[in-house]
Amino acid sequence: MALTYDAPGVDLSGFLRPKADGGESLELLVKGAHCAACIAKIEGEAGRLPGVLNARMNLTTGKLAVGFEGGAGDPAAVIQAVARAGYDATPFDPAQAAEAQDREGKRLAMALAVAGFGAGNAMMFSVPIMAGLFGQELGPHTRTLMQWMSAIIAVPCALYAGMPFFESAWRSLRVGKANMDVPISIGVILTIVISFIETFLGGRDSYFDAAVSLLFLLLIGRWLDHQLRAKARGAAADLLALQAPVAATLTEDGRERHMPLSEVLVGDLLIVRPGERVPVDGVVEAGISALDNALLTGETAPVDIAPGAHCRAGAVNLSGVLHLRATARSDDSALAAIARLVEAGAQSKSRYVRLADKAAAIYVPTVHTLAAATFVGGWALGLGPREALLRAVVVLIITCPCALGLAVPAVQITASGRLFRKGVLVKSGAALERLSEVDHVIFDKTGVLTEGKPRLMDASPAVVAMAAPLARASAHPLARSLAAEAGPGPVATDVIETAGQGVEGFIDGRLARLGRAAFVGAEGAAARETELWFGFEGDAKVRLEFSDRLRPDAARTVAALRKRGLTVEILSGDAAGAVERAAREAGIDAWRAGLDPAGKAAAVEAAATEGRKVLMVGDGLNDAAALAKAHAAMAPGTALEASQNAADLIFSGEELGAVVDAVDVARAARGRALENFGFAALYNAVAGPAAVFGLVNPFVAALAMSGSSIVVTLNALRMSTAGGRR
Amino acid sequence: MNIVMMLAPMSVFLALLGLGAFWWTLRSGQYDDPRGDASRILNDDPTDRPL
């Protein structure tokens, strides 16, 4: 679906973003840049253009940022310059680019650095205190001095580094709920306050370093989780930008202007060339063509359209150039109804309780009860309020949730890193958790089990070779497919293409026609959409039949899923015959055909009420609602925006085997996460009682906390190598 | 003991310098493109004017 921007006179100024200093900036997604020479070539070509102040290629994100002097910006010229350097560039919608600035990530990184600084330096003063615990010479005055030094460093650091937790705890308390950050905040603040009191009274134990180390370890988990989501968001936005970046509008003076989809207004006149996707709903003003609605309805047969006909956003224009009058904005195109279904489904998904939250639901009441009991019990048994309170706080801090906070993010980031290398994009950690529980897989047919493109079916090579010269001259997808089958060769001369009918031209001096039955002159043949007819003037006419082929590894994937104890089913919007054939070839017994979007969603819901956890794999708009309703959802990178948004995982590449990989990795990740929880429970079962009975001092606390976190992280890193090989 | 009173603040000061340096690298966008920066060093022309 690559659009060509190099036609002169195309106006892309809708993609420019005004800057504070009066200039303008532009972001382009550049494919294929990967080395130092690429940077030099791209920046050199773009930087030489008139009006360009600076050009910077970011290899990590694959984006080229260009700054223009005010009013001098010409995006089309930059795209041509990048093309001269040998790379494809696509303009990036400014609305999406603005989100890419990762403020939250920078803030977490800084909080992490401050916590690391605080933990290290507070520890420097804690070491002499700890040494004093083991009988080294340390007078009480020196100890108090060290404690004060520790406090001066640790307290400001804990307050800064703890802000993400305090803010989140406050937000959740204000709506009357308690999330994991509430006990963390209480633990940290109580620890600091008690340590202050102890230091002031000249007591032996203070836990300033423990409070900051706790925040440091928890922030590592937070930061990992954030990196995972930010990376997935960025990659998902890139996929969508490549897919349907622009709408081409015609201005009143006949000039063509390309603009972001979000800026198309009702009443705009749009141009849709063959091979392009219809950007918004509209009515045909001029032009005859056929539309491929496969992504909208799952039907593989093209639909003919003529002036006055309605077309829906997402359909692919197959043969002729169309002029459309937009009847809806991008936001409320026919997509809107589907989007509502998706939202309803997404709400049911947000009710899913993540593993870490399940663990927290047990952890929080247990630990707080234990701490309260320690205080009350200790006081009742004659410890004195000060000692009893100190022990209660030690219980809170040593049973710290750092293993909990790290256990899951560390596993999930290694798991999704592994999937990313295989071309599978994981949108969130919760998605992996849901995927691991799946026991039933539902496939859409068109574009998922099949390649979603028409391929020539068993025709004799002689006929293919005869028709190929005409096919090479046509832009029609069926003709293209025929030309691809025949390979390179001669092209027919004096070719005239009639939109929606066919092509005619001379092959070796003889007039020949390729196209619909009526156009070619085949008599008595029923006109079907997935066939072409070919014949020389006066000769017998030959039929060439096309069909959507299964992906090469479809049957293997289905077998692999069965081996893992999953059941497989097809839900399709296509006709029964086509679905049955695909099901037979892929080795699937259960299939249903002719379903509309609501029907698919209902089928997924019915399976869910039977207690099955459904993985839906679909690409079309007709799948979006089902994707959102399913327990877990996957979509190929070629899917429509609505479907990609509704899916949890997106796989790029031709292989359906990505589904098996994803299931394997998700299951392995769940296993690791559970192991980590088991370890954290074991650790707390030892450390908790030890703290209750006063066996813990600051040295033991520091050792135990970091030790448990390191074990959990190392176990998570095993994810990147072990298990899940097919 | 006197030497501790000198060394301790000094080490804290040095660590603060490190923290400040990290803050500066973060603010000036030096982690925005680690792959690109690794490659840029191979280019002879100074094409790394920041935006």
Side-chain angles (χ1 to χ4, degrees), chain B residues 26-45:
Chain B
L26 197 66
R27 280 294 299 268
S28 55
Q30 300 193 27
Y31 302 100
D32 290 354
D33 183 16
R35 272 187 58 201
D37 293 336
S39 303
R40 262 169 218 282
I41 196 167
L42 300 172
N43 287 340
D44 288 334
D45 298 329

Side-chain angles (χ1 to χ4, degrees), chain A residues 342-365:
Chain A
V342 169
E343 254 168 50
Q347 275 169 10
S348 71
K349 257 184 198 166
S350 68
R351 267 182 252 127
Y352 175 80
V353 184
R354 294 183 62 163
L355 265 181
D357 294 332
K358 278 184 196 156
I362 305 170
Y363 162 85
V364 175

Side-chain angles (χ1 to χ4, degrees), chain A residues 58-429:
Chain A
N58 185 326
L59 272 195
T60 313
T61 60
K63 296 208 183 76
L64 172 67
V66 184
F68 296 102
E69 285 168 20
D74 182 6
V78 178
I79 291 172
Q80 284 170 44
V82 174
R84 273 200 301 278
Y87 304 89
D88 288 335
T90 313
F92 207 78
D93 193 336
Q96 282 167 320
E99 271 178 42
Q101 289 181 347
D102 185 14
R103 268 165 218 273
E104 180 65 18
K106 285 190 174 171
R107 192 171 161 227
L108 277 177
M110 197 58 214
L112 186 58
V114 168
F117 162 83
N121 285 283
M123 199 63 83
M124 180 171 74
F125 298 107
S126 301
V127 169
I129 303 174
M130 289 169 186
L133 294 171
F134 292 97
Q136 304 295 315
E137 283 174 32
L138 186 77
H141 293 294
T142 318
R143 187 180 65 207
T144 307
L145 177 74
M146 291 294 163
Q147 285 173 341
W148 277 120
M149 297 259 224
S150 194
I152 290 170
I153 291 166
V155 173
C157 292
L159 289 182
Y160 178 82
M163 277 324 271
F165 300 97
F166 303 155
E167 281 171 9
S168 153
W170 178 241
R171 270 199 303 274
S172 114
L173 281 179
R174 276 222 319 231
V175 294
K177 285 190 189 131
N179 60 9
M180 197 62 189
D181 292 335
V182 175
I184 292 171
S185 303
I186 293 176
V188 168
I189 292 171
L190 260 183
T191 306
I192 289 175
V193 171
I194 297 296
S195 299
F196 255 129
I197 296 172
E198 280 296 305
T199 306
F200 195 72
L201 296 177
R204 197 195 64 177
D205 296 343
S206 70
Y207 291 89
F208 293 114
D209 58 320
V212 196
S213 319
L214 169 62
L215 287 173
F216 178 61
L217 294 169
L218 286 171
L219 278 167
I220 295 176
R222 278 300 142 95
W223 184 76
L224 285 178
D225 197 47
H226 177 86
Q227 289 298 99
L228 169 62
R229 278 182 292 125
K231 194 174 174 187
R233 245 200 331 267
D238 290 356
L239 270 179
L240 294 176
L242 280 177
Q243 193 183 60
V246 288
T249 57
L250 266 187
T251 53
E252 277 170 15
D253 54 358
R255 266 169 55 86
E256 203 172 305
R257 187 178 140 82
H258 288 213
M259 53 166 74
L261 277 187
S262 53
E263 289 183 13
V264 176
L265 299 174
V266 175
D268 280 354
L269 191 60
L270 308 169
I271 286 196
V272 185
R273 296 208 160 74
E276 291 180 0
R277 205 162 258 161
V278 174
V280 295
D281 292 359
V283 178
V284 179
E285 289 258 310
I288 298 173
S289 180
L291 286 185
D292 175 3
N293 281 325
L295 280 175
L296 296 168
T297 60
E299 286 168 77
T300 34
V303 178
D304 283 327
I305 50 161
H310 283 273
C311 16
R312 292 203 290 158
V316 176
N317 181 12
L318 291 182
S319 41
V321 176
L322 287 176
H323 287 202
L324 288 184
R325 185 71 67 184
T327 55
R329 287 172 51 89
S330 175
D331 295 342
D332 39 36
S333 279
L335 296 164
I338 307 267
R340 275 197 294 277
L341 287 173
V342 169
E343 254 168 50
Q347 275 169 10
S348 71
K349 257 184 198 166
S350 68
R351 267 182 252 127
Y352 175 80
V353 184
R354 294 183 62 163
L355 265 181
D357 294 332
K358 278 184 196 156
I362 305 170
Y363 162 85
V364 175
T366 313
V367 164
H368 281 212
T369 314
L370 189 64
T374 307
F375 175 62
V376 175
W379 198 358
L381 294 175
L383 268 184
R386 187 177 143 198
E387 177 66 18
L389 187 60
L390 186 63
R391 278 197 192 178
V393 169
V394 173
V395 169
L396 273 188
I397 192 108
I398 198 158
T399 58
C400 77
C402 36
L404 277 185
L406 264 175
V408 179
V411 169
Q412 284 174 346
I413 196 138
T414 37
S416 44
R418 224 178 101 187
L419 282 176
F420 198 78
R421 286 195 295 277
K422 291 177 189 253
V424 181
L425 181 67
V426 181
K427 285 221 206 135
S428 72

Side-chain angles (χ1 to χ4, degrees), chain A residues 12-28 51-55 64-75 78 91-94 97-98 101, chain B residues 51:
Chain A
L12 283 167
S13 53
F15 286 93
L16 288 172
R17 206 158 20 128
K19 283 198 302 191
D21 59 3
E24 285 162 327
S25 69
L26 171 75
E27 279 212 354
L28 297 168
V52 171
L53 286 179
N54 47 28
L64 172 67
V66 184
F68 296 102
E69 285 168 20
D74 182 6
V78 178
F92 207 78
D93 193 336
Q101 289 181 347
Chain B
L51 281 181

